[in-house]
Amino acid sequence: FRILVPIALLCLFGSLVFWRARRMNAMCPKDKDAYNELRKFKRLPGQYARFNPLIYALENVLPVVRLGQDDAWGPNPQAKPESWFPNRPRLAWTRWLPGMNYKWLAILRWVLILFGWGLALILAAAIGGRFK
C-alpha cells in the first residue's frame, strides 16, 4: 500500500494548483448558463456543484472515481495568464511558476490522468496480489 503515498502527493499537488487556479478565475463551469451567470453576477446557480479542488484532483488522479467535479468544472479557455502573487513584491522570485492559463492547466490535468492510470493499475495489482 506504499503506492498510496504518490497518489496522495499527486492529489495534494493538484488540489493546491486547482485551488489557486479557481481563485484566479482560471477554472470555470462547463455548463454555458452557469458560466454566464458566474461571469455576470459573480455567483453560481443554486443547483450547480460548487468547485472542490481536492475532489477535482482526486477525480483526475484516480480516473476510476467519478464524483461529478470533472464533469462540471474545467480550465477556462478565456482566462488570461496572471502572476501567482501579483501584489506581493517579496514573492517576485516565484515568477518562474507557470501562469494560470488554459494550456498549462489542461496539460497538468492530462499529466495527472496519465500518472493516475499508472498508479491505479499498480494499486489494483497490489490489492489483487493480497487476495490471491
Side-chain angles (χ1 to χ4, degrees), residues 10 60-61 63 107-121:
L10 280 175
N60 286 304
V61 171
I107 290 171
L108 173 64
R109 182 176 168 267
W110 280 105
V111 166
L112 289 177
I113 289 170
L114 291 174
F115 275 118
W117 273 109
L119 293 171
L121 289 172

Side-chain angles (χ1 to χ4, degrees), residues 3 14 17 21 84 99 105 108 114 121 123 126 129:
I3 195 66
V17 171
W84 279 57
L105 289 171
L108 173 64
L114 291 174
L121 289 172
L123 179 63

Side-chain angles (χ1 to χ4, degrees), residues 65-119:
V65 176
R66 304 306 316 154
L67 300 171
Q69 285 288 306
D70 194 44
D71 296 331
W73 291 86
N76 185 357
Q78 297 176 357
K80 295 180 178 123
E82 297 180 21
S83 169
W84 279 57
F85 306 102
N87 300 326
R88 311 258 189 214
R90 285 191 282 173
L91 297 175
W93 61 271
T94 62
R95 80 181 102 220
W96 60 270
L97 292 170
M100 290 293 162
N101 60 22
Y102 177 78
K103 180 181 173 186
W104 193 82
L105 289 171
I107 290 171
L108 173 64
R109 182 176 168 267
W110 280 105
V111 166
L112 289 177
I113 289 170
L114 291 174
F115 275 118
W117 273 109
L119 293 171

